Amino acid sequence: MISKIVVTFFCALTIVFSSYSQNEINYNVVDSLGRDFTKNLKNGDIEFLENSKPPKGTYTYKRLVEYKEALKKHPDIIIGSFIEPSVNSNLYAFNLFAYRRTDEKSFEYYFAAVVSIDISGEIYKIKNTYLFTEQDALKSWWKHIFGFYYTEKNKEIPKQFVFPVCPPPPFTED
């Protein structure tokens, strides 16, 4: 015969674990989906984008070719990633970016890629993707992530899923 204390204990554990699993975000899955989706881009395997028709002002294939060539010439290219929450609580974004320092004050960005992931169900799904190589799009992306890095939202993400510092701006400040 099972005692009342044991039943009460198991009921309490069930409630705790079910509420924990419903509210806990699996950052490993978000990271894995983002990394898998951007793996070819990160490695310079960009041919699949050659005939794409991106929204005006977002990215150009020519700029991606420059990145691919730069991978061979510049071992100092910094490739980083981080996860950030969205304004919509059902979405998180995996961000991947590549840049290099060109001089003491300037940086050359090659791209920023964003994979928006819906975490509302048991199976996380990619909802939208964005790719930026053009200056205005990169500036807009950077201003957004600057806000993320300098708010408390940044501290909500486990450290292993956040690039250690806010990436530098893709423009020089005058």
Side-chain angles (χ1 to χ4, degrees):
M1 182 182 227
I2 300 174
S3 75
K4 187 176 179 181
I5 294 173
V6 172
V7 171
T8 305
F9 176 73
F10 280 116
C11 287
L13 271 179
T14 303
I15 291 168
V16 168
F17 284 133
S18 66
S19 66
Y20 175 78
S21 64
Q22 288 172 356
N23 296 325
E24 187 65 23
I25 296 159
N26 191 331
Y27 292 101
N28 286 313
V29 173
V30 173
D31 188 63
S32 179
L33 283 170
R35 285 185 190 282
D36 286 348
F37 192 85
T38 60
K39 177 176 53 180
N40 289 343
L41 176 64
K42 178 182 176 181
N43 295 331
D45 300 329
I46 55 161
E47 290 71 23
F48 69 99
L49 292 167
E50 185 172 10
N51 295 317
S52 62
K53 297 187 181 354
K56 186 177 180 165
T58 57
Y59 77 90
T60 63
Y61 184 72
K62 178 183 177 215
R63 187 71 181 123
L64 294 173
V65 169
E66 291 171 9
Y67 166 68
K68 181 177 182 170
E69 292 169 358
L71 280 172
K72 298 173 195 166
K73 295 181 207 173
H74 302 289
D76 59 341
I77 291 176
I78 296 168
I79 300 173
S81 66
F82 61 92
I83 294 172
E84 68 170 320
S86 172
V87 173
N88 177 339
S89 63
N90 290 330
L91 300 175
Y92 272 69
F94 173 87
N95 290 257
L96 177 74
F97 56 90
Y99 70 89
R100 73 180 188 89
R101 181 181 288 278
T102 55
D103 64 34
E104 207 169 290
K105 292 184 178 183
S106 300
F107 299 89
E108 177 181 18
Y109 268 80
Y110 295 102
F111 69 82
V114 181
V115 181
S116 178
I117 299 168
D118 185 338
I119 63 160
S120 63
E122 286 184 31
I123 298 173
Y124 291 9
K125 296 177 184 171
I126 294 175
K127 181 142 176 115
N128 289 307
T129 61
Y130 308 93
L131 180 57
F132 308 122
T133 63
E134 301 307 287
Q135 195 62 29
D136 285 344
L138 287 168
K139 282 181 184 179
S140 180
W141 169 81
W142 185 83
K143 287 176 182 177
H144 167 79
I145 65 149
F146 178 80
F148 165 68
Y149 267 86
Y150 290 97
T151 65
E152 291 301 309
K153 288 288 183 192
N154 174 303
K155 299 189 181 16
E156 294 173 11
I157 307 294
K159 286 186 186 219
Q160 67 266 32
F161 301 110
V162 178
F163 195 69
V165 295
C166 183
F171 51 87
T172 55
E173 297 181 67
D174 297 326

